Amino acid sequence: MKTINFAIIGFGSIAKNHALATYDANLRFSLPYRLNISHIVTRRPVDIPINGVKNVLDIEEVLRDENVHFIDICTPNDSHYNIVKRAVAFDKAIYCEKPLSSSYGDALKMTELVEENNIKNSVALMYRFIPAVRLLKSELEKGTIGDIIDFKIR
């Protein structure tokens, strides 16, 4: 079975969710490959409690590594554009947490970069699958709640 190695960039709560989802996917689904977190890139040394996962401080280390098939960007939104630019320069596939960017302009530039360089990419839009969010969407479409002016979801 083929192993697909990837690096998680950042190690906040979203990154931990992505790590857990990786192991869940390997156990729950009959994937034709095994997902493997090989590196976690952080700004400071962290003792990563996952067997075989290397903590690195320099993103260049994982971008240069030919055994890393893609990167999973889980950093603050305003850093996504620069990370995508660097990943494109190394021809790395990209999975980016949403929102894609903190500005529409940067999001467009990111889209152009991956398209022009034929980089495989995806944006994590996972909340749309949560049952409560699907119910809310359905009720909004029916007009049950009326016009939304402002909201917070917790």
Side-chain angles (χ1 to χ4, degrees):
M1 177 180 291
K2 181 178 180 172
T3 297
I4 297 177
N5 297 312
F6 71 99
I8 295 177
I9 314 300
F11 200 53
S13 62
I14 291 298
K16 291 174 180 111
N17 285 338
H18 287 212
L20 288 172
T22 297
Y23 292 102
D24 182 50
N26 284 333
L27 290 170
R28 190 186 313 206
F29 304 111
S30 297
L31 300 172
Y33 48 81
R34 187 178 76 82
L35 291 167
N36 179 57
I37 304 167
S38 60
H39 298 79
I40 292 176
V41 181
T42 60
R43 288 182 288 184
R44 60 186 178 283
V46 175
D47 184 20
I48 304 295
I50 305 170
N51 233 0
V53 177
K54 184 178 177 186
N55 175 219
V56 296
L57 306 180
D58 182 11
I59 191 172
E60 297 283 329
E61 184 174 335
V62 298
L63 294 175
R64 283 191 306 268
D65 190 333
E66 291 181 10
N67 293 315
V68 174
H69 300 106
F70 74 93
I71 62 167
D72 179 2
I73 303 172
C74 298
T75 56
N77 306 337
D78 63 351
S79 67
H80 293 180
Y81 174 65
N82 287 329
I83 295 170
V84 166
K85 277 193 333 188
R86 293 170 83 183
V88 166
F90 284 89
D91 200 33
K92 288 289 182 202
I94 301 163
Y95 182 64
C96 189
E97 183 56 42
K98 52 101 183 81
L100 191 55
S101 177
S102 55
S103 81
Y104 179 67
D106 281 354
L108 284 177
K109 289 179 202 171
M110 292 162 75
T111 303
E112 291 167 1
L113 271 172
V114 295
E115 285 177 356
E116 290 168 359
N117 292 280
N118 200 29
I119 301 293
K120 292 179 182 175
N121 65 92
S122 184
V123 179
L125 300 171
M126 302 313 296
Y127 282 166
R128 66 184 169 181
F129 298 112
I130 296 174
V133 172
R134 295 189 120 182
L135 176 63
L136 179 60
K137 181 180 185 290
S138 171
E139 294 305 314
L140 286 169
E141 288 171 346
K142 288 184 212 172
T144 306
I145 305 173
D147 293 333
I148 303 297
I149 297 168
D150 189 21
F151 68 93
K152 259 190 187 176
I153 296 176
R154 292 180 13 160

